[in-house]
Amino acid sequence: MKEKLIDLFEYTHHFNLEMIKLIAENKAAVDDRVISLMNHTLNAQQIWNARILGERPFEVWQLNPLDTLTEINHQNFLKSIDIIQKFDPDKQIEYQNSGGTKFRNSVFEMLFHAVNHSTYHRGQINSLLKQNGIKPILTDYIFYKR
């Protein structure tokens, strides 16, 4: 299972990077919602990693400078891989959501959510890019595997 999770995070890292590049190349044509969603996508992965590791999380909707997104994506990837390699996927982690409510989930559930969440928002970003006349990126997992 760990190998499959690593593969999913490699996929997530790859297409997050492609999205960041496309947004940077078309900065003048993208709207604030695109920038906000790309930041949120990266922030969320950082937040889930931080919850597992007991570190300080980003804010859910914090805006990071565009020129830092590639490094944030890379650090997210490295931390997610480190978690996969060092933690039992069935280990239960207690954490608080951004509203302060306590929850408990397994490391696997938290990591899988982070991947799924990223995929969902990349789809939203693609839709917004298309509305702004920018050719979207095919980010489905199967395209990555081909």
Side-chain angles (χ1 to χ4, degrees):
M1 177 166 44
K2 289 186 176 196
E3 289 175 8
K4 295 295 182 190
L5 274 173
I6 289 170
D7 181 58
L8 290 173
F9 277 99
E10 288 171 344
Y11 154 72
T12 298
H13 178 259
H14 172 78
F15 279 121
N16 282 348
L17 183 58
E18 292 301 309
M19 280 289 186
I20 293 165
K21 287 179 186 176
L22 185 62
I23 291 166
E25 290 167 1
N26 294 280
K27 188 176 176 184
V30 299
D31 59 30
D32 290 343
R33 186 76 177 135
V34 169
I35 301 295
S36 178
L37 279 171
M38 192 68 238
N39 273 277
H40 173 70
T41 300
L42 299 176
N43 293 345
Q45 185 177 347
Q46 189 278 343
I47 290 166
W48 285 105
N49 286 341
R51 287 173 177 163
I52 294 167
L53 295 170
E55 296 177 353
R56 181 174 160 80
F58 284 2
E59 295 295 323
V60 174
W61 291 102
Q62 84 179 38
L63 290 178
N64 307 292
L66 187 57
D67 64 352
T68 66
L69 298 186
T70 297
E71 182 59 24
I72 292 169
N73 184 50
H74 184 66
Q75 289 304 313
N76 283 346
F77 173 71
L78 293 177
K79 284 198 175 193
S80 295
I81 298 305
D82 192 52
I83 289 166
I84 292 165
Q85 292 173 338
K86 292 181 178 173
F87 281 75
D88 176 350
D90 294 323
K91 178 182 169 84
Q92 295 288 310
I93 304 286
E94 188 173 296
Y95 62 94
Q96 290 183 357
N97 69 5
S98 57
T101 306
K102 289 187 179 183
F103 294 95
R104 185 177 196 85
N105 288 94
S106 72
V107 169
F108 174 81
E109 291 165 341
M110 295 166 82
L111 292 175
F112 186 76
H113 172 74
V115 169
N116 194 52
H117 184 263
S118 295
T119 303
Y120 172 78
H121 285 305
R122 282 192 304 269
Q124 286 183 308
I125 292 166
N126 262 335
S127 180
L128 291 169
L129 291 173
K130 189 173 182 178
Q131 289 172 21
N132 288 316
I134 301 165
K135 183 180 177 185
I137 300 171
L138 298 174
T139 60
D140 289 335
Y141 179 75
I142 199 67
F143 294 119
Y144 175 72
K145 295 310 286 183
R146 288 180 185 165

